[in-house]
Amino acid sequence: MGSNDSKPSALKEGEFVGALDCGTTSTRFIIFDSVADIIAEYQAEFPQYYPHPGWHEHHPEELVSVVKECFEGAVKVLEERGWDRSSIKVIGITNQRETTVAWSRSTGKHLCNAIVWDDSRTKGVVTHYERLLEEQGLTLPDGNLKKGSAGISSLKEITGLPLSTYFSAIKLHWMHEHHPEVRKALAEDDLLFGTVDSWIIYNLTRSENSPGLHVTDPTNASRSLLFDLKTLQWSDTMVNFFGLKKNILPQVKSSSEIYGEISEGVLKGVKIAGIVGDQQAALVGNKCLTKGEGKNTYGTGAFVLFHTGDAVVKSNRGLISTVAYQAGPNSKPAYALEGSIAVAGSAISWLRDGIKLIDKVGQVNELAAQCEDTAGLYFVTAFSGLLAPYWDSTAAGMLIGLTSYTTPAHIARATLEAAAFHTRAVVEAMATDAEHGLKNLKVDGGMTNSDLAMQIQADLGGFEVIRPEMRESTALGAALLAGSAIGLFGWDVNDPHTLEKVNTKGSKTFKPSLTEEDMETRWIGWKKAIQRSRGWTEAYESD
């Protein structure tokens, strides 16, 4: 094993699973044991590029080099702790979704910078395709043509998605229009497209003698606007609508199977056996594996996913239908509804940076704990409109219910309550769409470090909130799918009982403590506050 030959023979042989978590600003490689204790880990940031307002890019080669750095760093830590690197039996990969990479089939080199999921340069592309949908429509496999509202419904029926700047086909169209290299590669059948998972696996598995594997899984494919949620295949209708060719697309494999082996480096020969988009990975990592279970990841914003079983649930309330995971090539897919909340932790940052109410983010908890309620104050954190389930780009942020009694403590508490109320709104929309209530809410992300914030969530949501001690849920999800693929530790994601011992240490449950009447009174107040915030910028636009 190269440099390992000089290691002392005293290194122990164990059984571990690795998880590569390719995030938006950093990449991590975490090595877990059978109960999800972290044995070793390494994290490294990589450069962000913002060439124009609203643009956000990554350099594809830097995405690959930081992965290799994380492998080497984690293996070094593993060996320093007395374990041989051969203890890593398999790895899974989870990634920022929708971020789009284009590269050459013949050279394996990228053709332009990757366009990141939150890049908003493609608003004009979205308008173009909205007009195309209106005027030319979608041609379905049976030859039927669907235009206007029928076309919009058909698009959502196939993909589960609305036309939006987020999704990969829109970004790929922009690349095709603005990069001659991409246009030429498509014309000459030399173009390969993929999200970050596909690009990383291609590079990890390629060698001098053979090209890399060009694969993805349904969770990533379902964020492209090119994928049929029901058949789990690329949709001819959508590929044609976007003027693309199927030969540029990765092969869609399940989220849990052996795709290939790492071709070189410190993990040469290790199997890659799990692929899953980051939010779906957090669902799996939180062990939300049966219908009616849900998770919320509280970061800058918040992402709520609700397991809807083995059927696609169409949302009438502005939620996205998506594949949750497919735990094996012969397994039925699991589906989920997803709701995105634009502002969660960033509202706390605003208290610190915007109005200087606190000096450090953690102080919001001490301040909010000084009062038992907000004294009727509500904070609608619509800094740039409202996402799910309200979908109002003209909504404005507002603090409403201010009186001479209001203190900084009330504002701090109202900030924590805003994330909780917004989560309840999304969860209620999900339960109505799915015709199935939430069993409990599993949580991860930065805000979950606050006991107070999680108790507020339980109180205002009216459901139990379960927080594990080890909150690397995204990485754990990829590890569970990879381990399950080879039967490591007896894990089987299709049988949740086999995961009963995974990540149970130190788990804490927050239970609702308000009376039903008090909870509903506050909820009515929140809905009134939301109503006041809606359409706020419309008056100015019409003047």
Side-chain angles (χ1 to χ4, degrees):
M1 280 206 184
S3 62
N4 195 39
D5 296 341
S6 61
K7 294 283 179 187
S9 57
L11 285 178
K12 295 174 287 185
E13 174 74 30
E15 282 194 321
F16 304 131
V17 55
L20 180 66
D21 182 354
C22 304
T24 305
T25 59
S26 69
T27 295
R28 288 179 295 177
F29 187 59
I30 302 178
I31 301 166
F32 294 102
D33 69 7
S34 62
V35 294
D37 284 343
I38 294 174
I39 305 302
E41 62 182 312
Y42 188 91
Q43 179 171 356
E45 294 186 348
F46 51 86
Q48 309 294 310
Y49 299 96
Y50 304 97
H52 302 286
W55 293 33
H56 187 187
E57 297 180 354
H58 290 154
H59 192 295
E61 297 301 333
E62 289 170 349
L63 294 178
V64 175
S65 61
V66 78
V67 165
K68 293 177 179 177
E69 179 188 341
C70 288
F71 283 167
E72 290 164 5
V75 165
K76 184 180 179 188
V77 173
L78 184 74
E79 292 179 338
E80 284 170 353
R81 292 178 179 171
W83 297 100
D84 196 284
R85 68 183 69 175
S86 62
S87 302
I88 303 170
K89 303 303 179 187
V90 67
I91 74 160
I93 296 175
T94 181
N95 57 288
Q96 46 162 317
R97 304 171 302 173
E98 295 118 10
T99 295
T100 302
V101 190
W103 67 99
S104 163
R105 185 190 308 271
S106 56
T107 69
K109 300 295 184 185
H110 69 281
L111 298 170
C112 58
N113 271 357
I115 299 180
V116 181
W117 62 272
D118 61 355
D119 181 290
S120 61
R121 76 182 71 178
T122 52
K123 288 177 181 175
V125 179
V126 172
T127 302
H128 165 75
Y129 279 110
E130 285 172 342
R131 193 180 304 119
L132 208 61
L133 208 52
E134 185 72 36
E135 296 171 359
Q136 295 183 20
L138 280 180
T139 303
L140 303 182
D142 60 9
N144 273 337
L145 185 66
K146 299 287 187 180
K147 289 185 181 181
S149 60
I152 293 168
S153 295
S154 294
L155 182 143
K156 198 158 189 196
E157 185 75 28
I158 295 167
T159 67
L161 307 174
L163 282 171
S164 162
T165 58
Y166 281 108
F167 305 117
S168 307
I170 299 288
K171 300 178 192 299
L172 186 58
H173 175 94
W174 192 96
M175 289 177 171
H176 179 266
E177 293 300 300
H178 293 85
H179 290 287
E181 306 90 339
V182 175
R183 199 155 54 244
K184 183 171 183 280
L186 180 65
E188 296 176 357
D189 291 330
D190 189 44
L191 178 64
L192 293 180
F193 148 82
T195 39
V196 169
D197 56 307
S198 298
W199 170 245
I200 295 299
I201 290 173
Y202 179 85
N203 281 277
L204 289 179
T205 56
R206 66 188 293 218
S207 64
E208 286 182 20
N209 305 321
S210 63
L213 295 170
H214 190 211
V215 297
T216 190
D217 89 304
T219 68
N220 282 293
S222 70
R223 316 295 293 191
S224 66
L225 281 170
L226 300 170
F227 188 69
D228 188 317
L229 282 185
K230 294 192 177 80
T231 65
L232 299 191
Q233 301 293 326
W234 298 115
S235 163
D236 288 323
T237 297
M238 298 311 303
V239 172
N240 293 336
F241 178 66
F242 284 104
L244 300 170
K245 299 177 182 178
K246 270 185 147 177
N247 66 5
I248 72 171
L249 302 172
Q251 184 181 2
V252 181
K253 301 272 199 175
S254 77
S255 311
S256 179
E257 62 180 278
I258 297 168
Y259 316 106
E261 294 181 354
I262 297 172
S263 61
E264 60 181 26
V266 294
L267 294 182
K268 183 178 180 180
V270 174
K271 294 177 175 63
I272 304 169
I275 309 173
V276 61
D278 56 5
Q279 297 306 323
Q280 289 96 328
L283 189 78
V284 175
N286 277 301
K287 298 192 288 185
C288 299
L289 302 173
T290 58
K291 183 177 178 179
E293 292 187 305
K295 72 91 193 173
N296 193 6
T297 299
Y298 301 81
T300 304
F303 288 92
V304 187
L305 261 73
F306 182 86
H307 195 304
T308 60
D310 58 10
V312 179
V313 172
K314 186 178 177 182
S315 174
N316 299 311
R317 289 162 183 79
L319 305 171
I320 287 171
S321 305
T322 195
V323 180
Y325 55 87
Q326 185 191 11
N330 300 314
S331 301
K332 280 185 173 180
Y335 292 96
L337 285 170
E338 178 175 326
S340 304
I341 298 166
V343 176
S346 59
I348 300 171
S349 300
W350 178 77
L351 294 184
R352 180 193 64 192
D353 304 329
I355 61 171
K356 315 294 185 189
L357 197 71
I358 52 177
D359 295 320
K360 296 178 182 175
V361 164
Q363 289 174 347
V364 72
N365 302 304
E366 302 158 26
L367 195 55
Q370 292 173 16
C371 54
E372 291 186 1
D373 56 46
T374 64
L377 181 69
Y378 292 89
F379 185 6
V380 179
T381 53
F383 293 150
S384 53
L386 292 166
L387 298 185
Y390 307 111
W391 294 106
D392 186 351
S393 60
T394 66
M398 60 175 63
L399 278 161
I400 193 164
L402 286 159
T403 69
S404 59
Y405 179 71
T406 304
T407 67
H410 293 123
I411 295 172
R413 194 174 187 97
T415 305
L416 298 181
E417 288 195 356
F421 279 128
H422 215 138
T423 298
R424 173 172 170 172
V426 170
V427 165
E428 287 198 353
M430 289 174 165
T432 305
D433 278 334
E435 299 178 348
H436 197 289
L438 178 77
K439 293 177 181 175
N440 50 51
L441 189 70
K442 311 278 182 69
V443 297
D444 57 40
M447 277 184 74
T448 63
N449 293 327
S450 164
D451 282 7
L452 179 60
M454 293 303 95
Q455 186 57 54
I456 286 172
Q457 182 65 80
D459 286 343
L460 299 181
F463 42 71
E464 288 190 355
V465 173
I466 301 174
R467 181 188 67 190
E469 182 178 285
M470 196 291 294
R471 275 163 254 164
E472 299 291 355
S473 306
T474 303
L476 179 57
L480 290 174
L481 288 162
S484 180
I486 65 166
L488 192 66
F489 313 131
W491 288 353
D492 180 357
V493 170
N494 290 311
D495 181 2
H497 294 297
T498 64
L499 308 176
E500 282 177 345
K501 294 179 181 176
V502 173
N503 200 24
T504 55
K505 187 170 65 178
S507 179
K508 184 167 183 176
T509 300
F510 299 86
K511 298 183 178 183
S513 63
L514 294 181
T515 65
E516 189 77 24
E517 183 182 7
D518 194 6
M519 183 175 70
E520 287 311 302
T521 299
R522 297 186 193 194
W523 179 235
I524 289 165
W526 169 257
K527 290 193 285 188
K528 283 171 65 180
I530 285 285
Q531 203 55 43
R532 296 287 197 281
S533 77
R534 301 189 75 160
W536 187 260
T537 62
E538 280 179 354
Y540 300 104
E541 289 165 359
S542 64
D543 284 349

